[in-house]
Each structure stands twice: as structure tokens, then as C-alpha cells.
Amino acid sequence: MKSVILPSYNRNIIRSMLGLKIEELDIPIPGDSDVIIKVHAAPVNPSDIAFLQGTYNVVKSLPAVPGFEGSGVVIDAGKNAINFIGRKVSCFVQDDRSGTWSDTIIANIEDIIPLKDEMDMDQAACFTVNPFTAYGMFEIALQYESKAIIQNAAGSQVASFLRKMALENGIEVIDIVRKQVSANKLVNEGAKHVLIETDVDFVEQLGNLSIKLGATVAYDAVGGSLSGLMFNALSTDSELVVYGGLSGKPIAEVDIMDLIFNNKIISGFNLMDWKAEIGQEEFVRISEELQDGFISGKYHTNIRGFSSLDDIVKGLRSYISDMSLGKLLIKP
Ligand SMILES: NC(=O)c1ccc[n+]([C@@H]2O[C@H](COP(=O)([O-])OP(=O)(O)OC[C@H]3O[C@@H](n4cnc5c(N)ncnc54)[C@H](OP(=O)(O)O)[C@@H]3O)[C@@H](O)[C@H]2O)c1
């Protein structure tokens, strides 16, 4: 099988990318509960970038094949997984044996989601992570009966799913981006309250809007002082949900009095913990609901373009230069 190989981690993302190689590897032999998947496509996510840098919470033995999620068709299986042969699946693999930036992968049946026939396979490549993350995090806003939410990195795909879910539920969204071009794009798509974090009166605008709309939950994928500014802008009895650290900086600027006296919480969200918490039956129900949303066109991941395995470095460069343009799909 043809795979992308990461020989060594490097905090400098350009150096890490330039070190990537393409190699032919033996197709693994499936264990009893494993499937072998012919890969249709695999996206590049922020977690993959952090992985290449060696700063993600998953660190594989080197050399490693990068890529955590993807879509494809099961072409072989162990004795407990025979029924999956021929099925279209999405998968999420973080073990040492496999990465999805490859034309073939091995996955445990616990790491695959069998797909409905009508599911588009490009959309399916980005199905296992972001839609479920948004769904799980949105439940927090529903629990708070929020009238409004705040989110940063609002040009991201997770933020786009959250915006859609909020709109459906009549919840206002305060979107924060770091570039004017991203703000323009969101406004053109119909977003009503878009703020740019570098504007001189950003803190004032955020505070005023949050009070006016009654925001009780804020979703933070960035960290640094923006976390504190979002937290401080929330009303009493509210929650800052931290789910990413795109700035690479620790949380700062949190108003400690607010934290102690105003029943305001800072929490972390991790998809895998949420998945374990809800249990398999509920996960399958949500998967069906989300798949129906993709099939009907209600949900959609923006795809900026495609890259072959051989063109991986060019593709990665284009993704990191403007992440809000959508996902790059690697197609073997
Ligand atoms: N906790 C979990 O379980 C979980 C699960 C899934 C995803 N996530 C996290 O969710 C976040 C979004 O993922 P995604 O796949 O939706 O992303 P994506 O579509 O690939 O887009 C990334 C976004 O992040 C923005 N961004 C990057 N660096 C930034 C910074 N330093 N400050 C502000 N904005 C920045 C980009 O804006 P520009 O266009 O301005 O670069 C872009 O809008 C990531 O942090 C990811 O790790 C967490």
C-alpha cells in the first residue's frame, strides 16, 4: 500500500511537512475484529497539523503514517468483522498501526461508522470528528437554554456546524474571527453578529453584544487572552467550553471574581470522552441523525480541494495558508 510517512516530529510545521515521504508498505493482516479499508479520501484537520509538530495528545512511534479520519470501502476483515466487507464506512483511527493518509488502512470495528448508501464519500471523509463535536458541544447550549452563544475561530468547520445548529434552534451566534476576509465571508453567508478579534474596540463590542443577546455559552478553539475575553463577556450562570488550542497559548485574562462569585464555569470538551459518556446506542442514533442531515443537504463540510498522496506537501501548504477556505481532502 502507498502511504505518507512522517519520519520525525518537528515543531516547525514547514520543516515537518518537508520531511514527509511516500513509501510502499505491506498491507497489514487484519486481527479478528479488524477491517482493511480501501481509502476514498482523508481530510487534513488542525489535529493533524499538531500531530506533525509532535504537539498533539496522540504521539505515534516513528516512522508513522499521519491522518486520523477518512472514508472508504471495507475490502477485507477478520473473522468477527466479515459482515463489513463491501460496506462504505467512515473511520477514526489513532492507533500506531495506521493513519488515513494512505491508500489502505487497518481499523478496529469500534473505530468505523458504517454509512448509509446515499452518503457522499467526500463528505463521509470528514464525518467522524467535526459534526459529532459540534453536536456534543451544542447539547451544552441546549442544557443552558441559551438565547445566544459566542464562538471563536468562527470560520472553521466545527463553528459552521454549530452556527447551523444554533440557527435551527433560534439561538443567536456571536462569531469571532481573526481576519477581515473571514468576517466578510461569514456575513455573506448570513451570519448576523461577526466580530474581528484585532479590532480596537473588540472587547467593548463583544461585551455589549453578549449582554444584549444574553449569551450563556462560549466555545473556545483558540486559547490565550481570547479565552478570558469571551469568558468575561458571558452573563452570570454561564460556561466557557474550551475545545481547541489553535493559538498554542495558555488561557489568560480570566476575571477571577467572575469565576468565584458568578457561577461561571470553564470546562473542556473532548469528542472521545463525550462518545464514551453517551454510550454506543445513543452514538448510533446521533450518527443516523447526522447522516440524514448530510444526505438531505442540511449539513455540509466545505471542501476547498483535493490532493494526491504525492502532492501532500503542496496540499498542506495551501491548507495552512488559509484554513477557513475548507478542508483539503487527500485522495490516494
Ligand atoms: N476537542 C475536540 O474533541 C475537537 C474535535 C474536533 C475539532 N476540534 C478543534 O476544533 C477546532 C476547529 O477545527 P476544524 O477542523 O473545524 O478547523 P478548520 O475547519 O480546519 O479551520 C481552522 C480554523 O481555525 C482558525 N485558526 C487557526 N489558527 C488560529 C488562531 N491562532 N487564532 C484564531 N483562529 C485560528 C482558522 O482561521 P484562519 O482562516 O484565520 O486561519 C480556521 O477558521 C480546532 O482547534 C480543532 O482542533 C476539537
Side-chain angles (χ1 to χ4, degrees):
M1 65 189 204
K2 187 173 177 178
S3 308
V4 175
I5 299 289
L6 174 74
S8 58
Y9 296 107
N10 196 320
R11 274 180 180 261
N12 180 319
I13 185 60
I14 303 294
R15 290 208 182 120
S16 184
M17 279 162 35
L18 291 175
L20 293 173
K21 296 182 198 156
I22 304 295
E23 277 182 19
E24 288 289 338
L25 306 173
D26 290 337
I27 296 178
I29 295 164
D32 290 351
S33 299
D34 290 330
V35 292
I36 303 293
I37 302 166
K38 191 88 200 146
V39 175
H40 170 83
V44 179
N45 289 320
S47 53
D48 296 312
I49 300 299
F51 174 75
L52 296 181
Q53 295 174 296
T55 56
Y56 194 54
N57 71 326
V58 175
V59 179
K60 297 187 187 184
S61 339
L62 295 171
V65 182
F68 294 131
E69 69 168 339
S71 63
V73 173
V74 175
I75 54 167
D76 195 6
K79 67 174 185 197
N80 301 336
I82 293 290
N83 290 347
F84 288 103
I85 291 179
R87 291 289 306 263
K88 286 164 62 172
V89 294
S90 289
C91 67
F92 180 75
V93 280
Q94 292 200 320
D95 64 36
D96 243 5
R97 301 178 298 173
S98 233
T100 55
W101 297 359
S102 175
D103 64 15
T104 311
I105 51 169
I106 183 167
N108 188 276
I109 46 176
E110 296 204 337
D111 298 330
I112 61 171
I113 300 177
L115 299 171
K116 299 189 177 201
D117 285 344
E118 307 91 317
M119 191 75 179
D120 176 85
M121 290 302 275
D122 287 348
Q123 292 294 316
C126 321
F127 180 61
T128 59
V129 180
N130 286 345
F132 290 91
T133 301
Y135 191 104
M137 292 203 299
F138 189 65
E139 285 182 334
I140 301 169
L142 293 177
Q143 281 155 15
Y144 272 87
E145 298 181 4
S146 294
K147 291 192 182 67
I149 59 173
I150 306 173
Q151 60 176 350
N152 58 18
S156 78
Q157 297 309 304
V158 171
S160 160
F161 286 116
L162 276 170
R163 206 162 28 251
K164 171 84 61 177
M165 290 167 188
L167 189 70
E168 276 169 15
N169 286 273
I171 296 174
E172 300 271 5
V173 182
I174 302 170
D175 287 303
I176 302 170
V177 292
R178 60 176 174 171
K179 298 175 192 159
Q180 183 68 53
V181 62
S182 309
N184 296 346
K185 187 164 168 273
L186 292 190
V187 169
N188 286 338
E189 287 169 11
K192 273 170 38 190
H193 314 288
V194 185
L195 304 179
I196 303 173
E197 60 180 80
T198 48
D199 276 359
V200 275
D201 57 350
F202 167 70
V203 180
E204 200 185 344
Q205 285 186 59
L206 177 61
N208 290 343
L209 251 184
S210 179
I211 290 167
K212 186 172 149 207
L213 301 174
T216 45
V217 179
Y219 297 102
D220 177 22
V222 176
S225 57
L226 191 52
S227 309
L229 298 179
M230 289 166 77
F231 175 82
N232 301 343
L234 290 170
S235 63
T236 54
D237 307 311
S238 58
E239 185 163 343
L240 175 78
V241 182
V242 182
Y243 71 104
L246 288 163
S247 69
K249 294 183 186 148
I251 286 176
E253 302 278 346
V254 170
D255 182 332
I256 291 170
M257 293 303 147
D258 233 7
L259 194 59
I260 298 171
F261 296 111
N262 288 331
N263 197 26
K264 293 173 73 167
I265 300 166
I266 300 177
S267 64
F269 181 90
N270 170 29
L271 175 64
M272 300 319 282
D273 291 342
W274 172 79
K275 195 178 160 189
E277 218 169 88
I278 60 169
Q280 184 59 13
E281 207 176 307
E282 177 65 353
F283 182 77
V284 170
R285 188 198 66 72
I286 293 168
S287 167
E288 302 272 311
E289 184 185 328
L290 287 172
Q291 285 190 57
D292 288 341
F294 276 90
I295 291 163
S296 70
K298 179 166 86 170
Y299 297 132
H300 180 81
T301 293
N302 283 341
I303 293 169
R304 70 196 296 132
F306 304 94
S307 164
S308 63
L309 292 171
D310 292 315
D311 276 339
I312 182 78
V313 176
K314 198 168 145 208
L316 286 172
R317 273 184 188 274
S318 126
Y319 170 69
I320 59 172
S321 69
D322 189 352
M323 296 163 106
S324 296
L325 269 184
K327 290 297 169 195
L328 173 80
L329 287 195
I330 298 167
K331 282 197 170 180

